[in-house]
Amino acid sequence: MDFGIVLQTDPPASAIVDLMRRAESNGFRYGWTFDSAVLWQEPFVIYSQILEHTTELTVGPMVTNPGTRTWEVTASTFATLNDMFGNRTVCGIGRGDSAMRVAGRKPNTLATLGEAIHVIRELAEGREAEVDDRRLRIPWVRDGRLPVWMGAYGPKALSLAGQQADGFILQLADPYLTEWMVKAVRDAAAAAGRDPSSVTICVAAPAYLTDDTSPAALAHAREQCRWFGGMVGNHVADLVAKYGEHSDAVPEALTAYIKEREGYDYAHHGRAGNPDTAFVPDEIVDRFCVIGTKEQHIKKLRELKALGVDQFAVYAMHDARENVIDGYGAGIVPALRN
């Protein structure tokens, strides 16, 4: 199993670079960031510094979207970074939640997302693609490579990921839901004539290490990670609006917990202490996140690995970023690499 670290690009950018260097020295192979132009600093500028100050780390957004930048700009930006530092980027992409809604726009349709996946990958790898009824090619790209991984929850999105994406990003670490969604992606890949095992599976969720399992330690860990249930709840609310509260298309294990959800302020998006996530129960925090002692982390990650997960990406938006990076490097990364 590979490991990634996921950070928000809060200023100063130098702190993000330092944490990425620390992650690489602890065995992490991927460095991810949020991508929301109003809420945080521009990630692609910071990627150039991360790549300059690391040797093998692969970097990319978790996730970008087809609407923030034109597709040729996104492709050219990735291709430029790859030309400068070797093929060390990955494009995580989705419909767009915070980036689009904060700017007053709706998330992109799945049809647009599917087209964007194809065009961005083709252009970034030096091939010709159609953009706004015009055939384009980036002429200076040589030996470019850009894996495109798609974030998804709902049945149609999972199907699209299996049909077109190089990787699938699942933003929660619940084994039951992971098994259900990985199967949906792989079934879609097989139906499209692809090798299901060729789709990389990435589970992304907060991880918080505790020294023991005392009620106080676990309570603090849960409060530091409760924001994640609220963030996932945004996507779940979209699914409920589309498919209804009780639908065979979406597991109730994913949708039931948002019944008490009242709203969401993106000013607190992805941050510990988010006041809009009080509705998230402890059970969801425990299911969706990875908290507890080193042994508990290893046990849950081995379960996910057995379900086909190729990478666990650690959301480190809490008060113990350095501790989780160092703790994973000291015992968890080596245990899961064996």
Side-chain angles (χ1 to χ4, degrees):
M1 178 182 275
D2 277 337
F3 287 84
I5 189 75
V6 190
L7 301 171
Q8 293 170 337
T9 51
D10 288 313
S14 58
I16 306 303
V17 176
D18 288 345
L19 285 168
M20 291 292 186
R21 292 178 63 191
R22 189 175 194 138
E24 184 181 52
S25 68
N26 276 286
F28 289 75
R29 291 179 177 169
Y30 284 77
W32 303 92
T33 73
F34 281 38
D35 178 19
S36 190
V38 175
L39 296 178
W40 303 289
Q41 292 186 331
E42 172 56 36
F44 286 96
V45 176
I46 299 172
Y47 294 157
S48 65
Q49 290 299 302
I50 296 170
L51 290 166
E52 174 68 25
H53 290 88
T54 56
T55 58
E56 297 181 355
L57 201 69
T58 295
V59 304
M62 189 177 280
V63 291
T64 192
N65 69 85
T68 298
R69 306 169 188 84
T70 60
W71 302 347
E72 72 274 15
V73 169
T74 298
S76 182
T77 304
F78 277 112
T80 301
L81 291 170
N82 284 338
D83 188 65
M84 293 172 67
F85 300 103
N87 290 319
R88 292 171 55 199
T89 65
V90 57
C91 177
I93 194 167
R95 293 176 59 230
D97 177 34
S98 63
M100 298 299 288
R101 287 178 164 130
V102 167
R105 308 184 189 104
K106 293 181 179 180
N108 298 271
T109 65
L110 287 176
T112 297
L113 177 56
E115 187 179 356
I117 288 172
H118 172 75
V119 169
I120 290 169
R121 181 170 50 213
E122 293 297 291
L123 292 178
E125 294 187 347
R127 294 183 293 274
E128 189 178 86
E130 187 172 302
V131 181
D132 294 332
D133 300 321
R134 181 185 293 268
R135 301 298 295 182
L136 299 178
R137 186 178 71 84
I138 302 175
W140 46 263
V141 174
R142 298 289 183 272
D143 301 318
R145 184 182 64 82
L146 182 66
V148 181
W149 296 9
M150 179 182 155
Y153 291 107
K156 292 183 178 179
L158 294 169
S159 180
L160 178 62
Q163 292 164 6
Q164 293 196 30
D166 301 297
F168 163 50
I169 298 171
L170 174 58
Q171 292 169 309
L172 54 80
D174 177 76
Y176 171 79
L177 292 172
T178 297
E179 183 176 20
W180 188 88
M181 294 187 186
V182 168
K183 182 180 185 301
V185 169
R186 287 182 168 163
D187 286 350
R194 305 178 68 196
D195 177 2
S197 66
S198 70
V199 182
T200 302
I201 307 297
C202 174
V203 160
Y208 199 99
L209 281 165
T210 62
D211 292 331
D212 55 50
T213 57
S214 66
L218 291 176
H220 180 76
R222 289 180 180 126
E223 287 310 309
Q224 288 296 306
C225 298
R226 198 175 304 278
W227 63 266
F228 185 65
M231 188 183 82
V232 173
N234 292 330
H235 303 287
V236 174
D238 288 343
L239 293 177
V240 170
K242 184 177 181 64
Y243 296 102
E245 290 187 20
H246 305 287
S247 169
D248 293 337
V250 184
E252 190 172 354
L254 176 62
T255 61
Y257 83 98
I258 69 162
K259 290 179 181 179
E260 303 301 321
R261 180 180 183 270
E262 296 181 353
Y264 194 84
D265 183 352
Y266 281 92
H268 309 288
H269 188 55
R271 300 188 186 278
N274 186 333
D276 296 321
T277 60
F279 72 94
V280 180
D282 288 351
E283 176 206 359
I284 289 294
V285 179
D286 292 348
R287 282 174 46 204
F288 285 12
C289 305
V290 184
I291 65 173
T293 63
K294 179 184 76 172
E295 291 74 21
Q296 289 174 314
H297 283 242
I298 290 173
K299 180 181 178 181
K300 187 166 188 177
L301 293 176
R302 281 180 172 157
E303 187 175 0
L304 292 171
K305 183 178 180 180
L307 295 173
V309 175
D310 300 297
Q311 180 185 150
F312 178 57
V314 176
Y315 277 107
M317 275 67 78
H318 49 56
D319 63 1
R321 297 186 301 183
E322 292 84 357
N323 183 64
V324 76
I325 291 172
D326 294 345
Y328 264 62
I332 297 172
V333 171
L336 271 295
R337 285 261 170 85
N338 295 335

